[in-house]
Amino acid sequence: LISHRQDSILHSRTMSQARVLNVDTMNPNVKRIEYAVRGPIVQRAVQIEKELKEGVKKPFTEVIKANIGDAHAMGQKPITFFRQVIALCAYPDLLEDDKFPEDAKNRARRILQACGGGSLGAYSASSGIEVIRQDVAKYIEKRDSGIPSNPDDIYLSTGASDAIVTMLKLLTSGEGKTRTGVMISIPQYPLYSAALAELAAVQISYYLDEDKCWSLDVNELRRAVKAAREHCNPRALCIINPGNPTGQVQNRQCIEDVIRFAAEEHLFLMADEVYQDNVYMEGCQFHSFKKVLFEMGSEYSSVVELASFHSTSKCYMGECGFRGGYMEVINMDPDVKLQLTKLVSVQLCPSIPGQALLDLVVNPPQPDEPSYATFIKERTANLHILSEKAKMTEQVLNTVPGIHCNPVQGAMYTFPRLTLPEKAINAEQAPDMFYCMKLLEEMGICLVPGSGFGQRDGTYHFRMTILPATEKLKIVLEKIREFHKRFTEEFS
Amino acid sequence: LISHRQDSILHSRTMSQARVLNVDTMNPNVKRIEYAVRGPIVQRAVQIEKELKEGVKKPFTEVIKANIGDAHAMGQKPITFFRQVIALCAYPDLLEDDKFPEDAKNRARRILQACGGGSLGAYSASSGIEVIRQDVAKYIEKRDSGIPSNPDDIYLSTGASDAIVTMLKLLTSGEGKTRTGVMISIPQYPLYSAALAELAAVQISYYLDEDKCWSLDVNELRRAVKAAREHCNPRALCIINPGNPTGQVQNRQCIEDVIRFAAEEHLFLMADEVYQDNVYMEGCQFHSFKKVLFEMGSEYSSVVELASFHSTSKCYMGECGFRGGYMEVINMDPDVKLQLTKLVSVQLCPSIPGQALLDLVVNPPQPDEPSYATFIKERTANLHILSEKAKMTEQVLNTVPGIHCNPVQGAMYTFPRLTLPEKAINAEQAPDMFYCMKLLEEMGICLVPGSGFGQRDGTYHFRMTILPATEKLKIVLEKIREFHKRFTEEFS
Ligand SMILES: Cc1ncc(COP(=O)(O)O)c(C=O)c1O
Ligand SMILES: Cc1ncc(COP(=O)(O)O)c(C=O)c1O
């Protein structure tokens, strides 16, 4: 019997070794990817939710997820006009229905006319539907006080993620010391490190200055690029503004400095501006890299290569599930643009409902249209609530001894610094992972440890979204306060 | 003056050389990609359409595009039920509307309940919404006569393209002689060669047998893999069934042979089955690789690793624009599955409208539901028309001297062989590119040259979809007949 059992263990072992695809034979670049926003904490949270459903007793009755920038999942309602138009496009019989406002019908007709066969079900051009690219260009022109935007520079995408990965892919070449290096902020949004790992490009980390509200210091960029030139070929600089996970909003001066730095150091600029409407703090304002670049004069605007990214997922609409987005490329080599068009052709086209939704974001109801008032009301309310939650988050967290929280100037996150007791730091896990896992188990609150985004050695953070509904956010903040106190006592 | 002009030429040259990103510095793997389905012919077709609109006189009044498998663009209408449910999901106020049938409302409610915050606008789990993965598993079980399918083996995707590229990515590793080689048919769907170029994996070509209705001969697989083992590490075998661009449907025996071959040669199987409903020829039937594998007994079903792919884009629904799809993985190493889940997490999730549409495809109206009759009528009509067009295409093309067309057993394409006159072959362009470009300029018909899919040296083909509406398809076929005759005379 024993021998039979051993046999079968042996057999199953041989089997597993014999697999064509196993962890030893698979793509090593994929293995190197780390992705915390959906990592072990989140997986455990999903498990706990199932356990709660099955009646397992816990010190809480629901898991509150503040781990991901997903507004609708947290209860934010869609913009009525947007969804009316999508419904009309999906089922054009509704164009006969009196319940829909005329402006929604007009938008739907216009989108459908631009679709193959008048259907959301046709593939579009790979760079996106032409009319929508034109609308995007107009939106950018208006946003940037009239600085021209060319529809031929616009590429629609499957969320901003898709366009960001595509740009990084184009930029990656060389081997060894000539391998492409890409500068990304620390803390960062982990899409960047993941894409660089997958492409086997070199990540060049520059640190944001926590003591100055997570601002970007050009001297730190200089330090980082200089060190990197020893072992790779730095070719691109990525900026997230407003910032994820750190919630800062860059001032104009800083953007100018960054552009000058990119020109001096001959770097391709990638500006991730998916939070462009999410600015809460008085005195802060969103400045697009494109606009600042052009206002700096042709010395810069005719040479600095820039790709900027936007998405339907954030701002006031939060339509993550539609996977809409675009990038605008400035000063891109025309031959590279042909290559880019070819590259995106391989996967045919971005989702058409996503493209349609993006069209509504860049071309919302106008003052003379029937849906205008409701649209403005909904948009204002969403942004106002976010702004209140940003302030509340900062205020409450800063009342907790051992937590320091910078102002949430924009975006949807805070990245507060934790003073952790020594015994917690000697634990086997990363200390902030240990902290967040315990917070989840004891309080039912799901955050992401700072180590998932990068932080200076010896500092500890978590990232938390400000998205839970106000009443829930209050509970989250109170529970964190209580937990932090207990945790500090337990491990001191 | 001259010196000033020279100066500025010099300046602009320096500028273009000075770009960070240019064709010399960009990713060389991207440069190597070829993608004919949207290549020069299609770009010229778009241009000609613009010229026609501007009033330029041509020997035709519209361009008929038979270059891409895009049913809605060619006039096929969406399935009513599918679009009703999507509209209900997009704008749930419509759930109060009496005009919608109860089954559509029930499906919409069920999908929304499975969405974060009850909204299509929330991100889902990266592998897709759980309820939908369960529905996919049930669909597969039913399709495969009860052979079990596990929702944990299902990964939803952004069209089949996305999942295919993801699988190829996982499989790629090694350098030089140990670099992953992937077997693909010639002719092939160019997504495969493009993805392999991008990944710098080795393409191993096996030829389909044109003289036997484009069937697959295992001896040819043996020849190809043996030759490849000299210079790379063959690890995967891709099959498209029903076939694009060749329209063949594999018989059961052939699938068994392929599975045995994969087991012997230790290859991971990738079965692209996006045309699984598109079988037209009497005596032909779709057999899924999964089903045949399991019917071959545990000797095979417990060891052969298989990923199979499906999509919302083809079959009777043709919903390309929604970018819905899934893959099922069989015998995949559990650790690799974790890596796969991590990898797909980086881009957050597939489009939710696409996931919703996929759910309807795998869970359509049932006999006791109010929408059943209409659904069946629409589905049957779509498939019937495709079947008629398949027959008509074969028949008419085979009446043209110098064109030989295999039966269109399935899928949406024919790949007829052209006998070209000698002077056309001596042209500077690839002869079938020359042929198709001339056909476009003179007749306004847009096809893709065979060279874009691969073909045996010295043979020439084009790929044509059977999707234009019947009346248009007749025109297309007549025009090809006329053109081929003239072309043959002109270049003889
Ligand atoms: C900074 C930043 N960039 C890009 C993205 C990608 O968003 P999406 O792909 O949904 O547009 C996110 C999402 O959270 C983000 O925070
Ligand atoms: C054989 C085959 N596989 C995959 C695809 C990809 O389709 P999608 O990404 O739209 O699902 C196509 C599209 O034409 C195809 O023909």
Side-chain angles (χ1 to χ4, degrees), chain B residues 433-450:
Chain B
M433 171 64 97
F434 177 65
Y435 179 97
C436 289
M437 197 57 102
K438 242 175 124 57
L439 175 68
L440 173 63
E441 296 287 353
E442 295 179 12
M443 295 296 199
I445 290 173
C446 180
L447 307 178
V448 190

Side-chain angles (χ1 to χ4, degrees), chain A residues 18 20 38 126 198 266 305, chain B residues 18 20 38 72 126 169 266 305:
Chain A
V20 179
R38 300 220 161 163
S126 303
E198 193 188 313
H266 205 231
E305 294 152 74
Chain B
V20 179
R38 299 222 161 162
H72 289 204
S126 303
K169 194 180 282 172
H266 205 232
E305 295 153 72

Side-chain angles (χ1 to χ4, degrees), chain A residues 15-16 18-23 25-28 30-35 37-38 43 50 68-70 72-78 80 83-84 86-94 97 99-100 116-126 130 158 161-162 165 167 169-174 180 189-191 194-195 198-199 235-236 266-268 302-303 305 313-314 318-323 331-336 339 341-343 345-353, chain B residues 15-16 18-23 25-28 30-35 37-38 43 50 68-70 72-78 80 83-84 86-87 89-94 97 99-100 116-126 130 158 161-162 165 167 169-174 180 189-191 194-195 198-199 235-236 266-268 302-303 305 313-314 318-323 331-336 339 341-343 345-353:
Chain A
M15 294 274 326
S16 107
R19 279 207 174 90
V20 179
L21 183 61
N22 59 48
V23 275
T25 64
M26 70 175 280
N27 189 327
V30 172
K31 252 187 310 194
R32 290 192 304 123
I33 294 173
E34 289 178 18
Y35 199 70
V37 180
R38 300 220 161 163
Q43 281 156 29
K50 281 193 182 162
I68 188 166
D70 189 347
H72 289 204
M74 297 286 92
Q76 186 182 300
K77 291 285 161 268
T80 305
R83 295 307 196 88
Q84 287 175 331
I86 297 293
L88 288 160
C89 288
Y91 189 51
D93 283 14
L94 293 171
D97 195 318
K99 259 177 288 172
F100 288 85
S119 167
L120 289 188
Y123 294 123
S124 72
S126 303
E130 191 165 355
T158 303
S161 306
D162 169 38
V165 171
M167 258 327 299
K169 194 180 282 171
L170 281 179
L171 281 159
T172 299
S173 66
T180 292
Y189 175 60
L191 166 68
E198 193 188 313
L199 292 163
R235 297 182 66 208
H266 205 231
L267 298 171
F268 191 107
S302 66
V303 292
E305 294 152 74
S313 300
K314 314 295 169 181
E319 293 279 12
C320 308
F322 278 78
R323 314 304 298 118
N331 292 321
M332 184 179 266
D333 186 312
D335 291 333
V336 174
Q339 295 284 335
T341 303
K342 179 187 72 180
L343 176 61
S345 294
V346 174
Q347 299 230 9
L348 299 165
C349 69
S351 150
I352 306 296
Chain B
M15 294 274 327
S16 108
R19 279 206 173 92
V20 179
L21 184 60
N22 59 48
V23 275
T25 64
M26 69 174 280
N27 189 326
V30 171
K31 253 188 304 193
R32 290 191 304 124
I33 295 173
E34 288 178 18
Y35 199 69
V37 180
R38 299 222 161 162
Q43 281 156 27
K50 282 194 183 163
I68 189 168
D70 189 348
H72 289 204
M74 297 285 93
Q76 186 181 300
K77 291 282 160 271
T80 304
R83 294 308 196 84
Q84 286 175 331
I86 297 293
C89 288
Y91 188 52
D93 282 13
L94 293 171
D97 193 319
K99 259 175 290 172
F100 287 86
S119 168
L120 290 188
Y123 294 123
S124 72
S126 303
E130 190 164 357
T158 303
S161 307
D162 168 40
V165 171
M167 257 327 299
K169 194 180 282 172
L170 281 179
L171 281 159
T172 300
S173 66
T180 293
Y189 175 61
L191 167 68
E198 192 187 313
L199 292 163
R235 298 181 67 208
H266 205 232
L267 297 171
F268 191 107
S302 66
V303 292
E305 295 153 72
S313 300
K314 313 295 170 180
E319 292 279 13
C320 309
F322 278 78
R323 314 304 297 120
N331 291 321
M332 184 179 265
D333 186 312
D335 291 333
V336 174
Q339 294 284 336
T341 302
K342 180 188 70 180
L343 176 61
S345 295
V346 175
Q347 299 229 8
L348 299 163
C349 70
S351 149
I352 307 297

Side-chain angles (χ1 to χ4, degrees), chain A residues 123 348, chain B residues 159-161 164 189 240 244 272 274-275 311 313-314 323 413:
Chain A
Y123 294 123
L348 299 165
Chain B
S161 307
I164 292 167
Y189 175 61
I240 307 174
N244 177 5
D272 181 334
V274 301
Y275 298 100
S311 164
S313 300
K314 313 295 170 180
R323 314 304 297 120
Y413 314 93

Side-chain angles (χ1 to χ4, degrees), chain A residues 30 47 63 72 133 155 220 224 250 257 386 410 417 425 449 470:
Chain A
V30 172
Q47 223 171 14
V63 176
H72 289 204
R133 290 190 291 115
Y155 293 77
E220 168 60 8
Q250 276 185 296
D257 291 348
L386 284 171
R417 181 164 175 169
I425 291 167
T470 310

